[in-house]
Amino acid sequence: MSRQIIPLRPKGAEQSALARTDVAAVALLAGGQATSLQAARAEVILADLRLRRDEMTALLSDLRSRETSRLPHIDIANANLIVAIVQGVVQVDLFIAQAQGLLEMTEQPGAPRPGASEQALKGA
C-alpha cells in the first residue's frame, strides 16, 4: 500500500472526472493491482483513453462504411466528421503514449516522481 496521502474532494465534486479517477485508482491500489496511487491513476487513465479510442474507431468505421447520400451537404458533413475523428484518434494515441510513459516511470524503483525536479528547485 502506498504511503501517499489521498486528498479529500470538496462536497459536490464527487462527480468530477478527477474524483472518478481517484475513486477507481484507490480501488486498484486497495485491491493490490497497483504499486502506488500514481501508478493506479495512470492505469485508470489509460483504460479510459483506450475505451474512448475504441469508441472513436467504431464511429469512424461506421461513417466510412456508409454509402454516399447524394446530398452534397450530408456527404461533406460526413467527410468532415471522418477527418475530425481521425485527428481525435491521433491525439488520443499521443495521450496513451504519454500515460504509458508515466506508468513506466512509476513502476521503476527509485525513479523520480514527475514534477519532483520542480519541487526540488522550489525548495532550493
Side-chain angles (χ1 to χ4, degrees):
M1 191 94 167
S2 173
R3 292 183 184 168
Q4 190 170 9
I5 296 173
I6 301 170
L8 296 175
R9 302 280 173 233
K11 197 171 192 171
E14 296 86 15
Q15 296 303 315
S16 73
L18 184 57
R20 287 189 306 270
T21 299
D22 279 349
V23 168
V26 168
L28 285 178
L29 188 62
Q33 297 169 306
T35 57
S36 68
L37 181 58
Q38 188 172 8
R41 284 176 174 154
E43 287 287 353
V44 169
I45 291 168
L46 265 170
D48 187 56
L49 286 170
R50 288 179 179 132
L51 176 66
R52 301 294 172 230
R53 187 185 192 289
D54 290 346
E55 291 171 349
M56 292 172 72
T57 303
L59 182 58
L60 183 61
S61 177
D62 177 58
L63 282 171
R64 286 183 170 163
S65 69
R66 294 181 183 186
E67 295 184 23
T68 59
S69 68
R70 298 184 189 159
L71 297 171
H73 63 283
I74 299 292
D75 293 337
I76 290 170
N78 283 341
N80 289 337
L81 281 171
I82 289 171
V83 169
I85 293 169
V86 167
Q87 291 172 342
V89 168
V90 168
Q91 285 298 311
V92 171
D93 284 342
L94 291 172
F95 293 144
I96 288 172
Q98 290 175 338
Q100 286 173 329
L102 173 65
L103 187 58
E104 289 171 10
M105 283 177 44
T106 62
E107 290 175 347
Q108 294 175 1
R113 289 187 350 240
S117 57
E118 292 85 2
Q119 290 175 352
L121 289 174
K122 287 179 185 176

